[in-house]
Amino acid sequence: MIEGLQELEGELERFPKSVLEEFQRTRIRMQQRLSDAYLLEWARQGAAIARQPVRSWEAASEYFRVSPQILEHLTPMQLMEWGRHGSALCGDSPTLAVAFFRASPGSVSYLKGQRIGGWADLGRSLYKGTWKSSALSVRFYEGTPLLVEHLTYPDLERFVSLVETLSRKSAELATDCLR
């Protein structure tokens, strides 16, 4: 085993078992496609997500679960960037990060690698620290696979701007736009 991975695996044992199980399940698939350095960085990134406060272990579990699917569409460097964006979202709200990671397999094939950060920021722009804005942002991420199938990225930006404007008057109406 790569030096450092065993230590990370031990650290992941502190969290609910789904985190370690997802890591172990996907590590072998990731190891086949990543250099040792990227594999270690990927594992460290997942552990760092899990270490964030308040149920961030759920986001880490989702990060590990979907990573092999993401790597089918992104370069290893882009994969690390995707993970950093999800980690930043987790710092705002683990719920946002879970939704971001969960929606990623259906979204990244349509988004160019360089658009991943912009996509993360679009969802973050809908989040204002309230439960209603959290639900709106989560709904945006959940709906992204369908949206990016039919909208260009500039159209997606305009649509999110409209939804964000609507949310100032009615979070419910804004959420309905994403259904």
Side-chain angles (χ1 to χ4, degrees):
M1 186 179 283
I2 298 168
E3 189 176 330
L5 275 185
Q6 197 165 15
E7 293 166 22
L8 283 169
E9 202 168 285
E11 181 182 342
L12 294 175
E13 289 176 347
R14 299 183 350 206
F15 303 102
K17 69 179 187 174
S18 67
V19 178
L20 181 60
E21 287 173 352
E22 291 297 345
F23 171 74
Q24 291 172 331
R25 187 182 64 76
T26 59
R27 183 193 72 232
I28 294 164
R29 289 172 62 194
M30 298 300 281
Q31 199 164 1
Q32 294 169 349
R33 305 202 40 221
L34 292 174
S35 68
D36 289 355
Y38 274 124
L39 183 69
L40 189 56
E41 184 178 346
W42 167 79
R44 284 181 178 151
Q45 203 167 57
I49 292 168
R51 274 188 235 107
Q52 293 187 40
V54 191
R55 300 186 65 91
S56 56
W57 62 267
E58 293 172 332
S61 184
E62 200 63 29
Y63 165 84
F64 287 130
R65 187 185 72 78
V66 301
S67 287
Q69 296 167 29
I70 302 310
L71 192 53
E72 292 175 13
H73 302 285
L74 301 179
T75 67
M77 187 178 296
Q78 290 169 331
L79 175 79
M80 298 306 136
E81 188 67 21
W82 166 80
R84 282 189 284 281
H85 289 293
S87 182
L89 284 169
C90 192
D92 293 339
S93 165
T95 304
L96 299 184
V98 169
F100 172 79
F101 288 134
R102 225 174 246 160
S104 290
S107 303
V108 298
S109 62
Y110 293 98
L111 297 167
K112 304 273 188 281
Q114 64 269 22
R115 298 280 194 200
I116 303 298
W119 172 51
D121 290 342
L122 287 174
R124 178 183 277 127
S125 73
L126 298 172
Y127 179 65
K128 308 298 184 214
T130 65
W131 70 268
K132 285 184 178 185
S133 67
S134 175
L136 178 62
S137 184
V138 165
R139 184 66 196 115
F140 166 71
Y141 288 125
E142 290 171 348
T144 297
L146 183 61
L147 290 170
V148 295
E149 188 176 336
H150 298 287
L151 297 175
T152 65
Y153 188 79
D155 289 341
L156 182 66
E157 289 176 314
R158 284 189 284 280
F159 179 68
V160 169
S161 178
L162 171 67
V163 169
E164 198 274 326
T165 300
L166 283 172
S167 74
R168 290 185 214 143
K169 295 289 182 189
S170 170
E172 292 80 13
L173 180 59
T175 301
D176 284 347
C177 288
L178 293 168
R179 292 180 201 254

